[in-house]
Amino acid sequence: MLSQPISVTFDIGGGREVSIETGRLARQADGAVTVRQGNCIILATVVANKEPKEGQSFFPLVVDYNEKFASAGRIPGSFFKREGKLSDYEVLVSRLIDRALRPLFPEDYLCDVQVLITLVSSDKEVMPDALACLAASAALAVSDVPIKEIISEVRIARIEGQFVVNPSRTELAKADMDFIIGATDKNLMMVEGEAEECAEEDLVKALEIAHDAIRVQIKAQEELRAKKGVTGKREYTKPEQDAELQQKVADFAKDKIYQISRSASAKHERSDAIDALKDELITSLGEEVEDNVKKLAKKYFDDLQWEVVRNMILDDRIRLDGRQLDQVRPLNMEVDVLPSPHGSALFTRGETQSLTTVTLGTPLDELLVESAAVSDYTKFILHYNFPPFSTGEVKMMRAPGRREVGHGNLAMRSLKKMMPGNEYPYTVRIVSDILESNGSSSMATVCAGSLALMDAGVPIPKHVSGVAMGLITRASDGKYAILTDILGDEDHLGDMDFKVTGTRDGICGVQMDIKIDGLSMNTMREALEQARKGRLHIVEAMYESIGEARSEVKPHAPRMEKLFIDKEFIGAVIGPQGKIIQEIQRETGATINIEEVGNYGEVSIFSPAKEGLDKAVAWIKGIVAVPEVGSVYEATVKGIKEFGAFVEFLPGKQGLLHISEISWKRLETMEGVLKEGEKVKVKLIGIDHKTGKFKLSRKILMPKPEGKKPEGPTA
């Protein structure tokens, strides 16, 4: 007999209801729910294996968010007309959910877990990414999969000075702060978003409001779980433990790990020393020891290293490379390091290095960004590459992974805040190639990208810098240490990865993951203030490298200009069957793109040479110009008659230069006076309002001979 669906409903503010239902769809999954707001419906399922794979040593969690095009009544545009691999947008939403869910599972839980979240019905005003983690957490809550706590996520945006939870798509377009927050009832777990140079205290206020909204969603999940009758979680096989072996590892390696860790050595030197010590440990166990014991000993060694380094930082206030807790590593930066790209920069911070280029393109280079509900073009693109040699490793080269997509997106959101508006004609692509990595290459990408933009002549008003912060805590005595510009090992060993980007005047982007319980708002404020000092230190060094955007693009960069004309002139520029625009392109070598936007025509003119660009711009301006009586023009003779010459004084506009208006001297004939194609300066002296004909004079621009009496039309 079919079970009856169970549901709960809650209000997220402004009379907007959200419902969570289970027991109706996907009933063979360990947990399945649908979350609905308006016409937006999200299905989330979770399935976990009962036993870990043999030899499993890590937690294999897979989180995939997918949007069905049918949810918005659309057919995919691909050749196969079906959904393919996850888009970058879907990957980014998947990462938001994954980062919040992962800390919920016990550290000794090693079974495969798959969480699938699918948008099955779309609402053009409801942002599904703000509801996706709620759906995933609810699916876990109604299952017997062993999670420690229930969480949720909300979007918090500041719109016209007011904070709004889960704003509509229309409202979000007006926001100057936009963050996704993930949290349990007590603790923040994940923050990601962007702002228009907001203050640190504004971010703290946004977090507090978001956390209150999250508590409402957690309470609804608890109510749903109670209605379903879930009272406990499944038992699971835990990894084997050997207390005697663990003590043996500690006795052999603890002091040696401490000495290596406090030696302030470089990354690879320290790593080689640790690896050599681990090999010594395994050798000390004897030749006949079983492989599973060796594997367990290596795990205990890694756990010991984690403990020793953390205690060293907390008790001795010493970091792995010898720096102070709030000290940024040595900086080195150069611009214009490559001759052919339109802009380039090399940014080095300690053992992290980014070589970044900027390419300027035409409107034809815009990127189509597509989701189920939205299909739009963007003129600003940032790609982040992380080759294996950057960490001294050998790996297969594959398509960009989720990490590359996520890091690139954070840098893109941060730099986008300083990009010029739609009036800027270029499509801009930034590519960051990480050449060395030991701590926050995404922040190096932000800094290198800002430098390269200025080098390319993109008119960004301010530099954007970024810094990665870390946190190490000890629950036993409440000690904590906030670390500025963390190393890769400090990220791995720490309790928080907190990246902050911004200008001298405020925050532009934030990405934070917390691996522990109990981050207080006071600690958050302290971390934000320390981050502010760190990124200001970096940004001042960037201004010393290049203080402002170059006034012009590089000589080898394409030239582009954008004109806005009344839409009534669009036809005149294009001409019958495109003849005029084709002639302009043929004569100037420029590429012209015209798009009707509202009451205006947006004309983008692209040329590899400045001369061709200037000629095309002047030509189009001439077509749309309204002739003014009294104005002087450079005209071209188009035809000669016995009574004068017809001249083109503006593109597409001709008038008669009467024989009596050519010279103060009386001319009996036009023979030998002018020839076709000759350039002459003329003045518009009148317009016949009945016929629309233009009256032009050349002689009025010449000195009048003494004693000469006025004659003809100019008299």
Side-chain angles (χ1 to χ4, degrees):
M1 184 175 178
L2 294 178
S3 60
Q4 293 298 313
I6 303 166
S7 67
V8 296
T9 302
F10 62 92
D11 192 318
I12 62 169
R16 296 170 297 159
E17 283 195 346
V18 175
S19 65
I20 315 174
E21 181 184 88
T22 188
R24 184 180 175 203
L25 302 179
R27 289 168 294 130
Q28 294 188 44
D30 290 330
V33 301
T34 55
V35 171
R36 177 168 186 166
Q37 180 188 341
N39 288 334
C40 177
I41 302 176
I42 296 172
L43 169 67
T45 63
V46 58
V47 176
N49 287 344
K50 299 295 190 296
E51 295 291 334
K53 294 176 182 176
E54 185 177 352
Q56 185 71 40
S57 60
F58 64 93
F59 175 43
L61 172 66
V62 175
V63 178
D64 284 334
Y65 170 81
N66 176 250
E67 293 191 351
K68 300 296 185 183
F69 274 65
S71 68
R74 298 175 59 200
I75 295 174
S78 69
F79 178 80
F80 296 103
K81 302 301 179 188
R82 70 177 297 169
E83 292 83 2
K85 73 179 186 69
L86 298 186
S87 67
D88 282 0
Y89 168 73
E90 290 167 324
V91 166
L92 292 169
V93 178
S94 300
R95 278 174 53 86
L96 290 174
I97 303 167
D98 184 303
R99 287 158 48 200
L101 292 185
R102 195 169 288 273
L104 298 182
F105 293 86
E107 290 183 6
D108 57 1
Y109 184 67
L110 303 178
C111 298
D112 284 78
V113 178
Q114 186 175 43
V115 181
L116 301 180
I117 309 99
T118 306
L119 178 68
V120 293
S121 179
S122 177
D123 187 314
K124 64 180 180 180
E125 284 298 322
V126 177
M127 301 288 287
D129 56 354
L131 299 172
C133 188
L134 165 63
S137 177
L140 283 164
V142 299
S143 76
D144 66 347
V145 176
I147 56 168
K148 295 183 289 187
E149 291 189 77
I150 295 175
I151 66 162
S152 193
E153 287 182 357
V154 299
R155 169 176 267 108
I156 183 76
R158 189 172 65 182
I159 301 164
E160 297 176 348
Q162 300 297 316
F163 285 104
V164 180
V165 173
N166 286 4
S168 67
R169 201 180 298 273
T170 300
E171 290 173 325
L172 189 62
K174 299 180 288 185
D176 64 355
M177 291 177 66
D178 174 19
F179 292 93
I180 293 279
I181 316 294
T184 65
D185 181 66
K186 296 180 181 178
N187 305 305
L188 295 175
M189 304 299 293
M190 190 278 304
V191 179
E192 172 119 11
E194 60 190 73
E196 303 279 355
E197 299 179 282
C198 76
E200 280 73 10
E201 194 57 38
D202 291 337
L203 175 56
V204 172
K205 184 177 180 181
L207 297 177
E208 291 173 336
I209 294 172
H211 204 173
D212 288 340
I214 286 170
R215 291 187 179 103
V216 174
Q217 300 188 3
I218 291 172
K219 186 176 180 181
Q221 293 178 65
E222 291 172 342
E223 182 183 346
L224 183 70
R225 182 169 64 179
K227 282 188 175 182
K228 191 183 178 189
V230 178
T231 56
K233 297 296 182 179
R234 71 175 66 160
E235 295 295 325
Y236 58 92
T237 302
K238 299 181 180 181
E240 65 173 305
Q241 301 293 331
D242 186 333
E244 183 179 346
L245 177 62
Q246 188 173 19
Q247 185 60 47
K248 186 180 293 186
V249 170
D251 292 341
F252 179 88
K254 185 174 183 178
D255 291 340
K256 296 175 182 177
I257 291 174
Y258 178 73
Q259 292 304 322
I260 294 171
S261 299
R262 65 169 297 148
S263 63
S265 53
K267 173 184 174 182
H268 287 293
E269 182 183 343
R270 183 172 63 252
S271 177
D272 290 344
I274 288 291
D275 289 342
L277 179 59
K278 188 183 293 187
D279 291 340
E280 286 180 35
L281 169 67
I282 300 303
T283 302
S284 72
L285 297 177
E287 295 182 1
E288 297 182 0
V289 69
E290 296 179 358
D291 288 343
N292 65 318
V293 175
K294 292 181 180 179
K295 185 174 182 181
L296 191 57
K298 290 179 180 179
K299 178 188 180 300
Y300 288 146
F301 182 93
D302 293 339
D303 292 344
L304 181 65
Q305 182 188 4
W306 182 86
E307 179 186 345
V308 168
V309 174
R310 288 167 60 89
N311 288 336
M312 180 190 75
I313 293 173
L314 288 169
D315 296 330
D316 302 341
R317 316 305 275 184
I318 296 174
R319 296 176 67 174
L320 289 169
D321 58 357
R323 278 182 294 147
Q324 300 296 313
L325 300 187
D326 61 352
Q327 186 178 353
V328 177
R329 286 172 289 175
L331 299 169
N332 184 272
M333 51 199 79
E334 303 172 60
V335 297
D336 199 20
V337 293
L338 299 174
S340 296
H342 302 148
S344 60
L346 180 65
F347 178 89
T348 308
R349 187 191 64 244
E351 295 174 298
T352 298
Q353 186 177 72
S354 169
L355 177 63
T356 295
T357 58
V358 168
T359 306
L360 305 177
T362 74
L364 299 176
D365 297 311
E366 291 180 0
L367 174 67
L368 175 62
V369 179
E370 196 169 34
S371 64
V374 177
S375 180
D376 202 2
Y377 285 89
T378 178
K379 294 167 55 180
F380 182 52
I381 307 161
L382 190 147
H383 291 141
Y384 165 98
N385 299 317
F386 193 83
F389 66 76
S390 65
T391 53
E393 296 176 281
V394 177
K395 292 182 179 179
M396 294 294 292
M397 292 293 288
R398 303 294 188 193
R402 293 190 177 195
R403 179 183 179 278
E404 285 86 347
V405 172
H407 280 38
N409 181 66
L410 174 60
M412 183 276 294
R413 297 175 80 166
S414 301
L415 293 170
K416 182 180 67 175
K417 297 304 177 184
M418 291 298 109
M419 288 296 292
N422 191 52
E423 72 282 355
Y424 189 64
Y426 289 101
T427 295
V428 178
R429 180 183 183 231
I430 300 176
V431 178
S432 171
D433 290 300
I434 303 304
L435 306 185
E436 292 183 51
S437 180
N438 183 15
S440 196
S441 51
S442 63
M443 296 298 91
T445 295
V446 172
C447 299
S450 184
L451 293 164
L453 284 169
M454 284 198 176
D455 180 54
V458 178
I460 61 172
K462 306 172 188 176
H463 270 310
V464 182
S465 68
V467 67
M469 309 296 294
L471 175 70
I472 293 177
T473 62
R474 190 164 58 203
S476 60
D477 57 6
K479 270 192 174 182
Y480 69 91
I482 298 172
L483 310 179
T484 297
D485 181 22
I486 56 174
L487 303 173
D489 286 342
E490 290 172 341
D491 182 10
H492 171 68
L493 299 166
D495 300 320
M496 178 180 75
D497 179 13
F498 188 11
K499 300 181 178 75
V500 187
T501 71
T503 67
R504 286 168 169 167
D505 301 314
I507 293 171
C508 292
V510 170
Q511 184 181 90
M512 180 179 73
D513 295 303
I514 298 178
K515 309 166 191 176
I516 57 160
D517 295 339
L519 179 69
S520 69
M521 283 300 172
N522 286 334
T523 306
M524 170 67 77
R525 286 185 174 92
E526 188 177 341
L528 282 168
E529 177 58 23
Q530 195 166 315
R532 186 184 70 84
K533 292 177 180 177
R535 62 181 169 81
L536 288 181
H537 169 76
I538 296 170
V539 84
E540 294 306 324
M542 293 167 63
Y543 276 106
E544 291 178 10
S545 179
I546 180 169
E548 60 183 10
R550 299 190 190 279
S551 57
E552 289 189 357
V553 298
K554 301 282 182 69
H556 56 278
R559 261 50 183 180
M560 184 177 289
E561 191 165 330
K562 182 175 284 189
L563 303 176
F564 294 90
I565 64 176
D566 287 335
K567 68 177 182 180
E568 63 186 71
F569 288 114
I570 294 177
V573 174
I574 296 174
Q577 298 180 335
K579 289 182 179 179
I580 300 298
I581 195 170
Q582 289 172 13
E583 182 185 2
I584 299 173
Q585 292 182 125
R586 184 172 58 253
E587 293 294 324
T588 65
T591 300
I592 302 170
N593 182 65
I594 302 178
E595 183 179 354
E596 185 176 330
V597 180
N599 293 323
Y600 293 92
E602 194 174 285
V603 185
S604 298
I605 308 160
F606 163 82
S607 175
K610 189 175 186 302
E611 182 181 355
L613 178 74
D614 292 342
K615 187 175 180 181
V617 168
W619 197 324
I620 293 171
K621 283 183 175 180
I623 293 174
V624 302
V626 177
E628 295 183 12
V629 174
S631 295
V632 177
Y633 303 95
E634 184 174 22
T636 303
V637 177
K638 292 293 185 179
I640 297 176
K641 304 291 183 182
E642 64 275 8
F643 51 82
F646 286 100
V647 299
E648 185 177 61
F649 63 98
L650 284 173
K653 295 179 175 62
Q654 293 188 17
L656 175 63
L657 181 59
H658 194 269
I659 191 172
S660 63
E661 293 296 329
I662 294 176
S663 171
W664 288 106
K665 179 182 177 182
R666 185 179 183 86
L667 301 176
E668 300 295 336
T669 175
M670 287 293 296
E671 187 175 346
V673 177
L674 295 171
K675 59 183 179 180
E676 288 189 16
E678 184 177 347
K679 302 288 187 182
V680 293
K681 280 195 173 182
V682 297
K683 184 175 184 178
L684 180 61
I685 57 175
I687 302 175
D688 189 318
H689 294 292
K690 290 184 179 180
T691 64
K693 292 181 178 180
F694 302 106
K695 301 175 183 178
L696 303 165
S697 175
R698 181 193 185 200
K699 74 178 184 182
I700 201 170
L701 300 175
M702 299 176 176
K704 184 178 180 181
E706 291 184 15
K708 181 71 176 178
K709 292 183 179 180
E711 60 180 72
T714 58

